[in-house]
């Protein structure tokens, strides 16, 4: 573990960590955090980084519903990473919507934000330090954002609900159980062995966004890893040097994610008086928004066999039923009610 890091110093004082604090420091601690030092694509790849086809299909989707949701001119991406998706979206939306568009980015990593500022100059971009927005309808887009937010875990044992925390025991990072006031579950809720995952950040951000949508209109489109219905199990995992690993191994050097609870997001949307659609698989979303047609069009314009092979493998990766095509789900939340047959 990095000497002088906050994780190291906390353990030196014999304190333990909530899992969310531990993940937060692993990913964002100044100088050390994974996202302060790595570009997206180093250890894992996301859909926009695979191909422009992803951003093109989202642009087609937004343009197709834009009139119904209030002619949105303001777009906000949560956790834009390298900024590839916003670049693709702006290129296509400017053509499809034909109006002056504004793009807002909410990015925690100083390193990634600085890269975007340096590399993307052609778009009207506003960098948000906090989730406060102009008083207008906004369309929010979040690709692999919510599954990257820190979470806490709670486990039911024969003695009731306990918080799972991180401790350093004989030089090894371990998950320990602690009874404390955060475990606000009824004692008879769940069964022995159940693990509940809660993201305080996701709750806070969704509340802010839903409040904005309810007041001013717009929508939120989420793509994230997660099942249609989440089970009460531990879904934390990290990616270290392109391989899946245990989240306590390699702190600061791996990306840590969990499975998003789409049911919970739907409930929150409903409570806020909004409408939700989905979740559906990424594959289904892309098919219904023209990925086949766009793939064929691009194929025709390519000259070399090598370029064709690359395009073919990018297309397959986005829709692969054994990979992100099925594992990533897409959920839409809007203020206005619409008819969307394929959701
Ligand atoms: C898995 S990456 C996805 C990046 C990008 N959306 C893509 O698809 O390539 C997660 C992104 O969310 C950002 N992020 C995570 N937590 C955040 C937070 N609390 N506030 C703002 N951005 C955050 C990370 O810095 C990173 O850019």
């Amino acid at each position: 573990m990095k000497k002088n890091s906050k994780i190291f110093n906390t353990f030196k004082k014999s304190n333990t960590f909530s899992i969310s604090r531990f993940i937060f420091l692993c990913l964002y601690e100044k100088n050390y955090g994974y996202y302060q030092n790595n570009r997206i694509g180093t250890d894992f790849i996301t859909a926009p980084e695979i191909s422009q086809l992803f951003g093109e299909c989202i642009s087609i989707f937004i343009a197709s519903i834009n009139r119904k949701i209030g002619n949105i001119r303001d777009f906000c991406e949560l956790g834009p990473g390298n900024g590839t998706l916003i670049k693709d979206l702006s290129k296509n939306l400017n053509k499809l919507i034909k109006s002056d568009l504004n793009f807002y980015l909410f990015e925690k990593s100083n390193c990634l934000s600085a890269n975007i500022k340096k590399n993307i100059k052609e778009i009207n971009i506003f960098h948000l330090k906090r989730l406060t927005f102009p008083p207008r309808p906004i369309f929010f887009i979040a690709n692999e954002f919510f599954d990257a937010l820190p979470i806490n875990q709670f486990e039911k044992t024969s003695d009731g609900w306990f918080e799972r925390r991180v401790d350093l025991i004989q030089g090894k990072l371990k998950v320990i159980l602690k009874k404390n006031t955060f475990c606000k579950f009824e004692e008879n809720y769940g069964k022995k062995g159940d693990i509940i995952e809660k993201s305080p950040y996701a709750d806070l951000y969704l509340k802010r966004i839903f409040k904005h949508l309810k007041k001013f209109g717009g929508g939120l489109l989420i793509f994230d890893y997660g099942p249609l219905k989440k089970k009460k199990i531990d879904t934390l995992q990290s990616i270290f040097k392109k391989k899946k690993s245990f989240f306590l191994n390699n702190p600061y050097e791996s990306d840590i994610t969990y499975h998003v609870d789409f049911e919970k997001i739907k409930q929150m949307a409903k409570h806020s008086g909004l409408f939700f659609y989905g979740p559906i698989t990424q594959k289904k979303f892309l098919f219904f928004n023209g990925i086949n047609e766009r793939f064929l069009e691009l194929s025709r314009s390519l000259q070399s066999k090598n370029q064709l092979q690359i395009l073919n493998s990018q297309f397959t990766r986005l829709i692969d039923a054994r990979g992100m095509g099925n594992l990533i789900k897409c959920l839409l939340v809007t203020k206005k009610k619409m008819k969307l047959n394929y959701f």
Side-chain angles (χ1 to χ4, degrees):
M1 198 181 311
K2 315 239 182 212
K3 301 269 182 289
N4 290 328
S5 68
K6 283 195 180 155
I7 296 184
F8 181 82
N9 287 333
T10 302
F11 284 129
K12 238 169 54 181
K13 290 183 212 144
S14 300
N15 290 335
T16 61
F17 281 99
S18 69
I19 290 185
S20 64
R21 178 76 183 144
F22 178 81
I23 296 176
F24 180 85
L25 292 173
C26 285
L27 300 182
Y28 296 105
E29 185 177 336
K30 202 171 166 200
N31 301 328
Y32 299 118
Y34 179 83
Y35 282 114
Q36 305 293 13
N37 295 299
N38 290 287
R39 277 176 66 81
I40 311 296
T42 320
D43 291 309
F44 61 93
I45 190 120
T46 57
E49 298 297 327
I50 291 177
S51 166
Q52 66 188 68
L53 289 167
F54 185 69
E56 288 176 351
C57 292
I58 298 182
S59 308
I60 289 171
F61 173 70
I62 295 175
S64 73
I65 62 164
N66 200 26
R67 207 164 328 132
K68 291 180 209 150
I69 59 172
N71 289 318
I72 314 282
R73 300 284 173 266
D74 296 80
F75 298 88
C76 175
E77 187 180 356
L78 309 170
N82 299 342
T84 310
L85 180 58
I86 209 73
K87 213 171 165 182
D88 290 341
L89 287 177
S90 70
K91 196 168 130 201
N92 295 295
L93 287 174
N94 274 316
K95 280 189 221 150
L96 293 164
I97 298 182
K98 293 195 182 93
S99 176
D100 281 344
L101 306 180
N102 297 313
F103 295 92
Y104 301 87
L105 299 183
F106 179 57
E107 175 52 64
K108 180 95 195 153
S109 156
N110 296 335
C111 156
L112 293 173
S113 283
N115 276 337
I116 293 177
K117 282 180 194 157
K118 201 168 85 194
N119 298 328
I120 309 181
K121 298 227 164 73
E122 60 277 26
I123 322 171
N124 226 2
I125 286 184
F126 303 91
H127 292 262
L128 302 177
K129 282 254 169 283
R130 292 206 212 126
L131 272 190
T132 46
F133 317 106
R136 294 190 288 276
I138 297 183
F139 195 87
F140 296 88
I141 300 127
N143 185 62
E144 290 201 42
F145 171 71
F146 288 101
D147 68 6
L149 297 177
I151 56 157
N152 286 316
Q153 287 185 327
F154 303 94
E155 181 172 337
K156 182 148 192 191
T157 72
S158 37
D159 292 326
W161 284 97
F162 285 76
E163 186 195 353
R164 285 161 67 90
R165 293 180 70 85
V166 181
D167 199 359
L168 187 71
I169 301 170
Q170 292 172 343
K172 274 200 115 185
L173 289 174
K174 294 230 160 95
V175 171
I176 56 154
L177 296 179
K178 198 174 169 197
K179 195 101 191 151
N180 69 24
T181 47
F182 297 125
C183 309
K184 284 184 190 149
F185 305 106
E186 299 284 333
E187 281 304 318
N188 59 2
Y189 173 66
K191 60 178 192 317
K192 192 178 158 199
D194 281 354
I195 293 176
I196 303 278
E197 300 184 321
K198 283 175 175 266
S199 168
Y201 290 89
D203 288 358
L204 182 79
Y205 297 158
L206 285 167
K207 268 185 203 152
R208 291 241 173 103
I209 291 168
F210 288 167
K211 200 170 159 192
H212 187 90
L213 292 183
K214 182 70 188 160
K215 196 162 176 195
F216 300 103
L220 164 67
L221 185 66
I222 301 176
F223 290 87
D224 256 313
Y225 281 100
L228 293 173
K229 230 182 170 88
K230 193 169 164 164
K231 293 189 182 132
K232 295 187 181 74
I233 55 170
D234 172 12
T235 70
L236 270 177
Q237 71 166 40
S238 68
I239 301 286
F240 177 65
K241 297 199 193 301
K242 300 189 184 351
K243 290 215 170 89
K244 280 188 189 173
S245 119
F246 181 49
F247 83 100
L248 291 182
N249 297 344
N250 319 300
Y252 298 114
E253 284 166 35
S254 53
D255 179 43
I256 304 174
T257 60
Y258 78 109
H259 283 172
V260 165
D261 187 348
F262 287 102
E263 286 293 313
K264 166 118 196 263
I265 302 179
K266 279 159 58 173
Q267 271 171 22
M268 287 178 75
K270 200 170 161 194
H271 273 128
S272 308
L274 303 168
F275 297 96
F276 57 80
Y277 307 85
I280 58 172
T281 62
Q282 171 168 300
K283 183 174 141 206
K284 190 171 183 190
F285 177 90
L286 295 177
F287 275 138
F288 274 92
N289 287 288
I291 193 164
N292 273 343
E293 294 75 4
R294 189 64 190 128
F295 168 70
L296 290 173
E297 203 178 319
L298 277 178
S299 315
R300 273 185 231 115
S301 68
L302 295 178
Q303 309 294 332
S304 78
K305 212 172 155 192
N306 187 30
Q307 283 176 318
L308 254 174
Q309 265 170 359
I310 293 173
L311 179 68
N312 203 15
S313 97
Q314 292 171 338
F315 170 73
T316 313
R317 237 174 137 182
L318 288 178
I319 53 154
D320 181 9
R322 288 157 306 166
M324 57 168 62
N326 265 352
L327 296 177
I328 293 191
K329 309 291 184 307
C330 165
L331 180 78
L332 172 73
V333 177
T334 57
K335 177 174 178 177
K336 292 198 180 150
K337 195 171 181 178
M338 287 179 297
K339 223 173 161 200
L340 280 173
N341 292 337
Y342 58 92
F343 264 92

